[in-house]
Structure formats: C-alpha cells, structure tokens
Amino acid sequence: MDFTFTEEQQAAVEAARAVFTGVTPDSVPSPALTRGAVAEDFDRALWRRLADADLLSLTVAPEHGGAGLGPIALCLVLRESARVLARVPLLEAGGAALVLGRYGGAAADRLLSLIGRGESVVTVAANGRTGHDRAELAVTARPEGTGAPHWSLDGVQTAVPWAWGADRILIPAHTGEGRTVLALVPRDRPGVTLADQISTNGERYAEVRLDGVRAEDDEVITAAGAWEWLRGLLTTGTCALALGLGEEVARMTSEYAGKRVQFGHPIATFQAVAVQAADRYIDLRAMEATLWQAAWRIESGADAALPAAADIAVAKVWASEGVRRVVQTAQHLHGGLGADTDYPLHRYHAWAKQLELSLGPAAAHEEALGDLLAAHPLG
C-alpha cells in the first residue's frame, strides 16, 4: 500500500510552513499572567496571509474558487499551525467549508467563495450546554411560516471558539421530529447573545444564547448525517492539532536535553531521560498513525468492520492521552525552566490541556468506542 501524501497535499504543507514561518507563540501575553483573555480577537494579520496563500480555500470546491481538497489536507495544515500555536479559526472555518460543500445547497453557493477568500469567518458551536452533553440537544429548531418558511432557534451553546470575531456561527440543533439540522447564524442577528468565557489556553471563547433567533431556510442544512460528519471531522482536526503541538514540544525537549549539562554530561545521554523520550516518541507515532487512519476514513468513505466513528474515537483517545504525556514529560525534563513564563513551553502545556479535553476527553471516546464494538461485533 502507498501511504505517501499526494502532490497537492504536500504542496499545501509547504505553503503552510511558509506562512507560519515567523509566527511565535509569544505574540500575545502569557495566559499564566493574564486575568482575562490573552487577546480580544484572533490573529487577523495571519488570517490574511493564509487567505493570500490560498490556504483558506483549500477545502473549497473548485467551482467556488478553491482547491477542492479534503480532510487529509486540512489536517496536514492544522498540524503545521499547531507547531506555532497559530491563533486562527482554521479548524472551524475549514470544517464549515467542507460540510457546506458536501451538504450545504443554497448556503454553499452564497458563502463558500467568501470563506475561501477570508472575507467571511465561520466558527462552529460543538460543545453543547456543558461540554459533556451532545451539542445538537442544546438548541431546538422549529420550522415556522408557510409562504417564506424559516426556522426559530432557542438554546445555549457553551465554549464556542472565536465566536466574538466570527461573522457566522454554525450551530447544531434538534427538531421536534428528532432530526438534527445545522444553522448558519450571523453573530449579530437579533436574539443572539454572547457572554465571555476564557479557555484554558487563554483565548476568548463565548457562551452563545439564542432566544427565538430567526434562521432563513437557505441558512439551514437539513441533510441527514451532516452534523455527525462535521463533528467527526472537527474531532479528527483536533487530533491533528494535538499531533503538531506534541511534535514541536518533543523537538524543544530534545534540543534542551542535548544542551543541558549535569555531572559533566548532557542529560540526553542519561538512560532515564532516553527512556522517557523514547516512550513519548512512541506516543507521537501512535497519534500520527491513528490520525491519518481517521482522516482517510472520513475522506474516502471506505467501508470497514466498524464505522468511521470508531477510527475517530481511537484517534482522539491517543491524541488526548498522548499530548498530555508529551507535555508532562517535557515539563519534567526541562525542570524549572518549563514553568518559566519567559520560555514558551508553558504556553504549549496550556494549549495541550485545551486540546486534550476539546470535543471529549479520552474516557468519553473510550466509552463511545465500547458502544460501537457492542453494536458491531467483530468476527
């Protein structure tokens, strides 16, 4: 089997590396030293550079001015973005573009070219009311009207990333018939109220309340399976972010251990240090293998003994546990320097904890995997 990436996917990685060169995690105040959010908005200058490099249109269909690439290419770029802790809604906008292209109808025709040019920023509400319940159950969607039908939305979504700077929020909601729909709601629409929430990594998130919010019929994706597909994509993208962050932390740790001298020798030569580093290398390779398995299942739609949700769950288990172990070992091997706010490792630790818990910790995905195994007995 050929596991190499296509030329187009490799070109996306090269373009991403060129854009992210020069981006530093220290561009905003340290979350450890800031009472509120580290910044009011995401990195608009970087967002513009991503648009100019055609990376925001990567997942947009060619008929809307994009490259027409899929989840694998998005995950490759996300991996690069996490190495520098890029403060941009790349996962959410890329996921929204893919679900619009796959299911979106009239909304896709109107919005995809704007998303690809960076002129319309879309984020996704994926955490539900508490972060532990199913996101689509947190909001109700009622169809109303006859001549010009529309939808009325009521409910709460918590911890919505980049909501304050987004033009639209893609919100899952449930109907009285038990269906799930996705509504593209402008942030400033009447009935939408945002309240400040600060994430673990210091970013400004929002609790989004909807009180009788009107969504036009062409702003709502009603296709069956759209939300489940998007949630799987967002979860896999979070794994890609965890992998990129973990790889950068491992690089920083290797560089430090090769220079830090104790008892007349670099600590990298000590067996106890080498064993810990080897264990974390195994974690990263497992995170990588399970990530690409999940991304390939989403992109190809290939059948297997278990549905793609099982591969996504396995990837998130490894991403959550692996990235936690990588940053903890890095902190241990760095000693006191790891907690120094003048050194960037503490920022990576905060982002790692955010990614570990985003869209469910390892335990939640282990439970989901168990349910899938019970429903699809093997052999």
Side-chain angles (χ1 to χ4, degrees):
M1 298 180 66
D2 185 0
F3 292 100
T4 58
F5 297 109
T6 66
E7 290 184 6
E8 292 83 0
Q9 291 164 348
Q10 292 173 3
V13 173
E14 293 172 5
R17 287 175 179 167
V19 172
F20 292 126
T21 297
V23 177
T24 65
D26 295 329
S27 60
V28 293
S30 165
L33 303 176
T34 308
R35 293 183 62 86
V38 296
E40 291 294 306
D41 199 4
F42 60 84
D43 190 338
R44 293 278 178 174
L46 177 57
W47 193 248
R48 186 68 261 158
R49 295 201 298 274
L50 288 167
D52 292 341
D54 295 326
L55 287 169
L56 299 185
S57 61
L58 200 67
T59 58
V60 173
E63 57 265 30
H64 299 290
L69 299 182
I72 293 175
L74 176 61
C75 287
L76 283 167
V77 175
L78 289 170
R79 181 186 189 179
E80 297 304 316
S81 76
R83 299 183 194 277
V84 297
L85 306 184
R87 302 180 49 260
V88 286
L90 192 57
L91 170 59
E92 295 77 16
L98 280 168
V99 79
L100 279 168
R102 186 180 176 98
Y103 298 100
D109 295 336
R110 188 174 65 256
L111 288 175
L112 277 177
S113 60
L114 296 175
I115 293 173
R117 295 195 298 269
E119 297 172 5
S120 182
V121 179
V122 179
T123 191
V124 183
N127 289 302
R129 183 179 292 270
T130 66
H132 299 286
D133 53 348
R134 289 162 53 189
E136 68 273 19
L137 299 182
V139 175
T140 59
R142 299 187 310 277
E144 295 183 348
T146 53
H150 62 276
W151 297 75
S152 180
L153 305 174
D154 292 276
V156 179
Q157 290 280 352
T158 194
V160 181
W162 319 111
W164 293 94
D167 299 298
R168 289 178 181 263
I169 305 172
L170 190 57
I171 299 175
H174 70 282
T175 70
E177 297 81 27
R179 292 188 299 139
T180 298
V181 299
L182 287 168
L184 276 160
V185 179
R187 174 174 51 85
D188 56 358
R189 180 154 293 175
V192 177
T193 305
L194 271 61
D196 266 334
Q197 292 181 318
I198 309 302
S199 67
T200 301
N201 57 357
E203 297 297 338
R204 190 186 188 197
Y205 282 20
E207 177 190 80
V208 178
R209 291 187 172 270
L210 303 106
D211 185 9
V213 174
R214 178 179 175 128
E216 303 302 330
D217 197 49
D218 64 356
E219 294 176 323
V220 179
I221 301 172
T222 59
W227 166 239
E228 290 76 11
W229 189 87
L230 175 58
R231 192 180 194 283
L233 175 63
L234 294 173
T235 304
T236 304
T238 302
C239 298
L241 292 170
L243 175 61
L245 183 151
E247 289 175 329
E248 178 61 17
V249 168
R251 186 202 63 77
M252 293 168 59
T253 306
S254 174
E255 183 178 285
Y256 176 79
K259 296 178 179 178
R260 178 72 168 92
V261 174
Q262 285 186 341
F263 310 111
H265 300 279
I267 63 173
T269 62
F270 299 165
Q271 185 178 31
V273 173
V275 167
Q276 292 182 69
D279 285 343
R280 300 297 76 82
Y281 176 83
I282 293 170
D283 278 333
L284 289 169
R285 297 292 67 80
M287 290 165 66
E288 183 177 22
T290 54
L291 162 66
W292 298 128
Q293 172 71 9
W296 175 76
R297 286 292 304 277
I298 295 172
E299 182 160 325
S300 68
D303 290 329
L306 292 174
D311 291 299
I312 295 167
V314 170
K316 189 56 166 68
V317 169
W318 272 106
S320 292
E321 295 188 341
V323 78
R324 170 172 48 80
R325 288 192 291 258
V326 167
V327 294
Q328 285 178 343
T329 297
Q331 291 280 12
H332 175 65
L333 296 182
H334 274 83
L337 183 62
D340 189 339
T341 56
D342 291 328
Y343 186 71
L345 183 58
H346 75 287
R347 296 176 183 268
Y348 285 87
H349 201 150
W351 275 71
K353 180 56 66 175
Q354 181 72 30
L355 293 171
E356 176 191 348
L357 302 178
S358 292
L359 294 171
H365 290 275
E366 288 168 344
E367 182 178 351
L369 182 60
D371 291 341
L372 288 167
L373 287 168
H376 301 83
L378 303 177

